[in-house]
CSV table of all heavy atoms in Angstrom, one decimal:
chain,number,residue,atom,x,y,z
A,71,LYS,N,89.2,89.1,110.4
A,71,LYS,CA,90.0,90.0,111.2
A,71,LYS,C,89.2,90.3,112.5
A,71,LYS,O,88.0,90.6,112.4
A,71,LYS,CB,90.2,91.3,110.4
A,71,LYS,CG,91.0,92.3,111.3
A,71,LYS,CD,91.5,93.5,110.5
A,71,LYS,CE,92.5,93.2,109.6
A,71,LYS,NZ,93.8,92.8,110.2
A,72,ILE,N,89.8,90.2,113.6
A,72,ILE,CA,89.2,90.5,114.9
A,72,ILE,C,89.4,92.0,115.2
A,72,ILE,O,90.6,92.4,115.2
A,72,ILE,CB,89.8,89.6,116.0
A,72,ILE,CG1,89.7,88.1,115.6
A,72,ILE,CG2,89.1,89.9,117.3
A,72,ILE,CD1,88.3,87.6,115.3
A,73,THR,N,88.3,92.7,115.5
A,73,THR,CA,88.4,94.1,115.8
A,73,THR,C,87.5,94.4,117.0
A,73,THR,O,86.9,93.6,117.6
A,73,THR,CB,87.9,95.0,114.6
A,73,THR,OG1,86.5,94.8,114.5
A,73,THR,CG2,88.6,94.5,113.3
A,74,GLY,N,87.4,95.7,117.3
A,74,GLY,CA,86.5,96.2,118.3
A,74,GLY,C,85.7,97.4,117.8
A,74,GLY,O,85.4,97.5,116.7
A,75,GLY,N,85.5,98.4,118.7
A,75,GLY,CA,86.2,98.8,119.9
A,75,GLY,C,87.7,98.3,119.9
A,75,GLY,O,88.3,98.3,118.9
A,76,GLU,N,88.2,98.0,121.0
A,76,GLU,CA,89.5,97.4,121.2
A,76,GLU,C,89.4,96.0,121.6
A,76,GLU,O,88.9,95.6,122.7
A,76,GLU,CB,90.3,98.2,122.3
A,76,GLU,CG,91.6,97.6,122.8
A,76,GLU,CD,92.5,97.1,121.6
A,76,GLU,OE1,92.6,97.9,120.6
A,76,GLU,OE2,93.0,96.0,121.7
A,77,PRO,N,89.7,95.0,120.7
A,77,PRO,CA,89.4,93.6,121.0
A,77,PRO,C,90.1,93.0,122.2
A,77,PRO,O,89.6,92.1,122.8
A,77,PRO,CB,89.8,93.0,119.7
A,77,PRO,CG,90.8,93.9,119.0
A,77,PRO,CD,90.3,95.2,119.4
A,78,LEU,N,91.3,93.6,122.5
A,78,LEU,CA,92.0,93.0,123.6
A,78,LEU,C,91.4,93.3,125.0
A,78,LEU,O,91.9,92.8,126.0
A,78,LEU,CB,93.5,93.4,123.5
A,78,LEU,CG,94.2,92.8,122.3
A,78,LEU,CD1,95.7,93.2,122.4
A,78,LEU,CD2,94.1,91.4,122.1
A,79,VAL,N,90.4,94.2,125.1
A,79,VAL,CA,89.8,94.4,126.4
A,79,VAL,C,88.8,93.3,126.7
A,79,VAL,O,88.4,93.2,127.9
A,79,VAL,CB,89.1,95.8,126.4
A,79,VAL,CG1,90.0,96.9,126.1
A,79,VAL,CG2,87.9,95.9,125.5
A,80,ARG,N,88.4,92.5,125.7
A,80,ARG,CA,87.5,91.4,126.0
A,80,ARG,C,88.3,90.1,126.4
A,80,ARG,O,89.2,89.7,125.6
A,80,ARG,CB,86.6,91.1,124.8
A,80,ARG,CG,85.6,90.0,125.1
A,80,ARG,CD,84.5,89.9,124.0
A,80,ARG,NE,83.7,88.8,124.3
A,80,ARG,CZ,82.6,88.4,123.6
A,80,ARG,NH1,82.3,89.1,122.5
A,80,ARG,NH2,81.8,87.4,123.9
A,81,ARG,N,88.0,89.5,127.5
A,81,ARG,CA,88.7,88.3,127.9
A,81,ARG,C,88.6,87.2,126.9
A,81,ARG,O,87.5,87.0,126.3
A,81,ARG,CB,88.2,87.9,129.3
A,81,ARG,CG,88.5,88.9,130.4
A,81,ARG,CD,88.0,88.3,131.7
A,81,ARG,NE,88.3,89.2,132.8
A,81,ARG,CZ,87.9,89.0,134.1
A,81,ARG,NH1,87.2,87.9,134.4
A,81,ARG,NH2,88.2,89.9,135.0
A,82,GLY,N,89.6,86.5,126.7
A,82,GLY,CA,89.5,85.3,125.9
A,82,GLY,C,89.7,85.5,124.4
A,82,GLY,O,89.5,84.6,123.6
A,83,CYS,N,90.3,86.6,124.0
A,83,CYS,CA,90.4,87.0,122.7
A,83,CYS,C,91.4,86.0,122.0
A,83,CYS,O,91.1,85.5,120.9
A,83,CYS,CB,91.0,88.4,122.5
A,83,CYS,SG,91.2,88.9,120.8
A,84,ALA,N,92.5,85.7,122.6
A,84,ALA,CA,93.4,84.7,122.0
A,84,ALA,C,92.8,83.3,121.9
A,84,ALA,O,93.0,82.6,120.9
A,84,ALA,CB,94.7,84.6,122.9
A,85,GLY,N,91.9,82.9,122.8
A,85,GLY,CA,91.2,81.6,122.7
A,85,GLY,C,90.3,81.6,121.5
A,85,GLY,O,90.2,80.6,120.8
A,86,LEU,N,89.6,82.8,121.2
A,86,LEU,CA,88.8,82.9,120.0
A,86,LEU,C,89.6,82.7,118.8
A,86,LEU,O,89.2,82.0,117.9
A,86,LEU,CB,88.1,84.2,120.0
A,86,LEU,CG,87.2,84.5,118.8
A,86,LEU,CD1,86.0,83.5,118.7
A,86,LEU,CD2,86.7,85.9,118.8
A,87,VAL,N,90.8,83.4,118.7
A,87,VAL,CA,91.7,83.3,117.6
A,87,VAL,C,92.0,81.8,117.3
A,87,VAL,O,91.9,81.3,116.2
A,87,VAL,CB,92.9,84.0,117.8
A,87,VAL,CG1,94.0,83.7,116.7
A,87,VAL,CG2,92.6,85.6,117.8
A,88,ALA,N,92.3,81.0,118.4
A,88,ALA,CA,92.7,79.6,118.2
A,88,ALA,C,91.5,78.8,117.7
A,88,ALA,O,91.7,77.9,116.9
A,88,ALA,CB,93.2,79.1,119.6
A,89,ARG,N,90.4,79.1,118.2
A,89,ARG,CA,89.2,78.3,117.7
A,89,ARG,C,88.8,78.6,116.3
A,89,ARG,O,88.4,77.8,115.6
A,89,ARG,CB,88.0,78.5,118.7
A,89,ARG,CG,88.3,77.9,120.1
A,89,ARG,CD,87.2,78.2,121.1
A,89,ARG,NE,86.1,77.4,120.8
A,89,ARG,CZ,84.9,77.5,121.4
A,89,ARG,NH1,84.8,78.4,122.4
A,89,ARG,NH2,83.9,76.7,121.1
A,90,LEU,N,89.0,79.9,115.9
A,90,LEU,CA,88.7,80.3,114.5
A,90,LEU,C,89.7,79.6,113.6
A,90,LEU,O,89.3,79.1,112.5
A,90,LEU,CB,88.8,81.8,114.4
A,90,LEU,CG,87.7,82.6,114.8
A,90,LEU,CD1,88.0,84.1,114.8
A,90,LEU,CD2,86.4,82.4,114.0
A,91,LYS,N,90.9,79.5,114.0
A,91,LYS,CA,92.0,78.9,113.2
A,91,LYS,C,91.7,77.4,113.0
A,91,LYS,O,92.2,76.8,112.0
A,91,LYS,CB,93.3,79.0,113.9
A,91,LYS,CG,93.9,80.4,113.9
A,91,LYS,CD,94.5,80.8,112.5
A,91,LYS,CE,95.8,80.0,112.3
A,91,LYS,NZ,96.4,80.5,111.0
A,92,GLU,N,90.9,76.8,113.8
A,92,GLU,CA,90.6,75.4,113.7
A,92,GLU,C,89.5,75.1,112.7
A,92,GLU,O,89.2,73.9,112.3
A,92,GLU,CB,90.2,74.7,115.1
A,92,GLU,CG,91.4,74.7,116.1
A,92,GLU,CD,91.0,74.4,117.5
A,92,GLU,OE1,89.8,74.3,117.7
A,92,GLU,OE2,91.8,74.2,118.3
A,93,LEU,N,88.7,76.1,112.4
A,93,LEU,CA,87.5,75.9,111.5
A,93,LEU,C,87.9,75.5,110.1
A,93,LEU,O,88.8,76.2,109.5
A,93,LEU,CB,86.6,77.2,111.6
A,93,LEU,CG,86.1,77.5,112.9
A,93,LEU,CD1,85.2,78.8,112.7
A,93,LEU,CD2,85.2,76.5,113.5
A,94,PRO,N,87.2,74.6,109.5
A,94,PRO,CA,87.4,74.3,108.1
A,94,PRO,C,87.2,75.5,107.2
A,94,PRO,O,86.2,76.1,107.4
A,94,PRO,CB,86.5,73.1,107.8
A,94,PRO,CG,86.1,72.5,109.1
A,94,PRO,CD,86.2,73.7,110.1
A,95,GLY,N,88.1,75.8,106.3
A,95,GLY,CA,87.9,76.8,105.4
A,95,GLY,C,88.5,78.2,105.8
A,95,GLY,O,88.6,79.1,105.0
A,96,VAL,N,88.9,78.3,107.1
A,96,VAL,CA,89.5,79.5,107.6
A,96,VAL,C,91.0,79.5,107.3
A,96,VAL,O,91.7,78.6,107.8
A,96,VAL,CB,89.3,79.7,109.1
A,96,VAL,CG1,90.0,80.9,109.6
A,96,VAL,CG2,87.8,79.8,109.3
A,97,GLU,N,91.5,80.4,106.5
A,97,GLU,CA,92.9,80.5,106.0
A,97,GLU,C,93.7,81.4,106.9
A,97,GLU,O,94.9,81.1,107.1
A,97,GLU,CB,93.0,80.9,104.6
A,97,GLU,CG,92.3,79.9,103.6
A,97,GLU,CD,92.4,80.4,102.1
A,97,GLU,OE1,92.9,81.5,101.9
A,97,GLU,OE2,91.9,79.7,101.3
A,98,GLN,N,93.1,82.5,107.3
A,98,GLN,CA,93.8,83.5,108.0
A,98,GLN,C,93.0,84.2,109.1
A,98,GLN,O,91.7,84.4,108.9
A,98,GLN,CB,94.4,84.6,107.1
A,98,GLN,CG,95.4,84.2,106.1
A,98,GLN,CD,95.8,85.4,105.3
A,98,GLN,OE1,95.7,86.6,105.7
A,98,GLN,NE2,96.4,85.1,104.1
A,99,VAL,N,93.6,84.4,110.2
A,99,VAL,CA,92.9,85.1,111.3
A,99,VAL,C,93.9,86.2,111.8
A,99,VAL,O,95.1,85.9,112.1
A,99,VAL,CB,92.5,84.3,112.6
A,99,VAL,CG1,91.9,85.1,113.6
A,99,VAL,CG2,91.6,83.1,112.1
A,100,THR,N,93.5,87.5,111.7
A,100,THR,CA,94.3,88.6,112.0
A,100,THR,C,93.6,89.5,113.1
A,100,THR,O,92.4,89.3,113.4
A,100,THR,CB,94.6,89.4,110.8
A,100,THR,OG1,93.4,89.9,110.2
A,100,THR,CG2,95.3,88.5,109.7
A,101,LEU,N,94.3,90.5,113.6
A,101,LEU,CA,93.8,91.3,114.7
A,101,LEU,C,94.2,92.7,114.4
A,101,LEU,O,95.4,93.0,114.1
A,101,LEU,CB,94.4,90.8,116.0
A,101,LEU,CG,94.1,91.6,117.3
A,101,LEU,CD1,92.8,91.2,117.8
A,101,LEU,CD2,95.2,91.3,118.3
A,102,THR,N,93.3,93.7,114.7
A,102,THR,CA,93.6,95.1,114.8
A,102,THR,C,93.5,95.6,116.2
A,102,THR,O,92.5,95.3,116.8
A,102,THR,CB,92.6,95.9,113.9
A,102,THR,OG1,92.9,95.7,112.5
A,102,THR,CG2,92.8,97.4,114.1
A,103,THR,N,94.5,96.3,116.7
A,103,THR,CA,94.5,96.7,118.1
A,103,THR,C,95.1,98.1,118.2
A,103,THR,O,95.9,98.5,117.4
A,103,THR,CB,95.3,95.7,118.9
A,103,THR,OG1,95.5,96.2,120.3
A,103,THR,CG2,96.7,95.5,118.4
A,104,ASN,N,94.8,98.8,119.3
A,104,ASN,CA,95.5,100.0,119.6
A,104,ASN,C,96.8,99.8,120.3
A,104,ASN,O,97.6,100.8,120.5
A,104,ASN,CB,94.6,101.0,120.4
A,104,ASN,CG,94.2,100.5,121.8
A,104,ASN,OD1,94.9,99.8,122.4
A,104,ASN,ND2,93.0,100.8,122.2
A,105,GLY,N,97.1,98.6,120.6
A,105,GLY,CA,98.5,98.2,121.1
A,105,GLY,C,98.7,98.4,122.6
A,105,GLY,O,99.7,97.9,123.1
A,106,VAL,N,97.7,99.0,123.3
A,106,VAL,CA,98.0,99.2,124.8
A,106,VAL,C,98.1,98.0,125.6
A,106,VAL,O,99.0,97.9,126.5
A,106,VAL,CB,96.8,100.1,125.3
A,106,VAL,CG1,96.9,100.3,126.9
A,106,VAL,CG2,96.8,101.4,124.6
A,107,LEU,N,97.4,97.0,125.2
A,107,LEU,CA,97.4,95.7,126.0
A,107,LEU,C,98.1,94.6,125.2
A,107,LEU,O,98.2,93.5,125.6
A,107,LEU,CB,96.0,95.2,126.3
A,107,LEU,CG,95.1,96.2,127.1
A,107,LEU,CD1,93.7,95.6,127.1
A,107,LEU,CD2,95.6,96.4,128.5
A,108,LEU,N,98.8,94.9,124.2
A,108,LEU,CA,99.4,93.9,123.3
A,108,LEU,C,100.6,93.2,123.9
A,108,LEU,O,100.7,92.0,123.8
A,108,LEU,CB,99.7,94.5,121.9
A,108,LEU,CG,100.3,93.6,120.9
A,108,LEU,CD1,99.2,92.5,120.5
A,108,LEU,CD2,100.7,94.3,119.6
A,109,ALA,N,101.5,93.9,124.5
A,109,ALA,CA,102.7,93.3,125.0
A,109,ALA,C,102.4,92.1,126.0
A,109,ALA,O,103.0,91.1,126.0
A,109,ALA,CB,103.6,94.3,125.7
A,110,GLU,N,101.3,92.3,126.8
A,110,GLU,CA,101.0,91.3,127.8
A,110,GLU,C,100.2,90.2,127.2
A,110,GLU,O,100.1,89.1,127.9
A,110,GLU,CB,100.2,91.9,129.0
A,110,GLU,CG,98.9,92.6,128.6
A,110,GLU,CD,98.4,93.5,129.6
A,110,GLU,OE1,99.1,94.5,129.9
A,110,GLU,OE2,97.3,93.3,130.2
A,111,GLN,N,99.7,90.3,126.0
A,111,GLN,CA,98.9,89.3,125.4
A,111,GLN,C,99.5,88.6,124.2
A,111,GLN,O,99.0,87.7,123.6
A,111,GLN,CB,97.5,89.7,125.0
A,111,GLN,CG,96.7,90.2,126.3
A,111,GLN,CD,95.2,90.5,125.9
A,111,GLN,OE1,94.6,89.8,125.1
A,111,GLN,NE2,94.7,91.5,126.6
A,112,ILE,N,100.7,89.2,123.7
A,112,ILE,CA,101.3,88.7,122.5
A,112,ILE,C,101.6,87.2,122.5
A,112,ILE,O,101.5,86.5,121.5
A,112,ILE,CB,102.5,89.5,122.1
A,112,ILE,CG1,102.9,89.4,120.7
A,112,ILE,CG2,103.7,89.3,123.0
A,112,ILE,CD1,101.9,90.0,119.7
A,113,ALA,N,102.1,86.7,123.6
A,113,ALA,CA,102.5,85.3,123.7
A,113,ALA,C,101.3,84.4,123.4
A,113,ALA,O,101.4,83.4,122.7
A,113,ALA,CB,103.2,85.0,125.0
A,114,ALA,N,100.2,84.7,124.1
A,114,ALA,CA,98.9,83.9,123.9
A,114,ALA,C,98.5,84.0,122.4
A,114,ALA,O,98.0,83.0,121.9
A,114,ALA,CB,97.9,84.3,124.9
A,115,LEU,N,98.6,85.2,121.9
A,115,LEU,CA,98.1,85.4,120.5
A,115,LEU,C,99.0,84.6,119.5
A,115,LEU,O,98.5,84.0,118.5
A,115,LEU,CB,98.1,86.8,120.1
A,115,LEU,CG,97.0,87.7,120.8
A,115,LEU,CD1,97.3,89.2,120.7
A,115,LEU,CD2,95.6,87.4,120.3
A,116,GLU,N,100.3,84.6,119.7
A,116,GLU,CA,101.2,83.8,118.9
A,116,GLU,C,100.9,82.4,119.0
A,116,GLU,O,100.8,81.7,118.0
A,116,GLU,CB,102.6,84.2,119.3
A,116,GLU,CG,103.7,83.4,118.4
A,116,GLU,CD,105.1,83.6,119.0
A,116,GLU,OE1,105.3,84.4,119.9
A,116,GLU,OE2,106.0,83.0,118.4
A,117,LYS,N,100.7,81.9,120.2
A,117,LYS,CA,100.4,80.5,120.4
A,117,LYS,C,99.1,80.1,119.8
A,117,LYS,O,99.0,78.9,119.3
A,117,LYS,CB,100.3,80.2,121.9
A,117,LYS,CG,100.1,78.7,122.3
A,117,LYS,CD,100.1,78.5,123.8
A,117,LYS,CE,99.9,77.0,124.1
A,117,LYS,NZ,100.0,76.8,125.6
């Protein structure tokens, strides 16, 4: 689970999610957010 502080204030959060998902043995990657920046980053996180 990716957390903070608020994780979406750090640039490249979605890229980190993608790279974590590629690691052998990693089954799930999730995120906790306050939601303020979520709408503008949701497409990248989904991808």
Side-chain angles (χ1 to χ4, degrees):
K71 180 172 291 294
I72 306 302
T73 72
E76 167 50 43
L78 296 183
V79 303
R80 183 169 178 180
R81 292 182 182 178
C83 181
L86 175 65
V87 170
R89 296 178 70 184
L90 284 170
K91 290 281 290 185
E92 294 171 353
L93 296 180
V96 174
E97 296 177 1
Q98 294 181 21
V99 180
T100 63
L101 175 82
T102 289
T103 173
N104 60 33
V106 173
L107 301 174
L108 185 59
E110 61 198 63
Q111 297 191 38
I112 196 71
L115 291 166
E116 179 184 357
K117 184 177 180 180

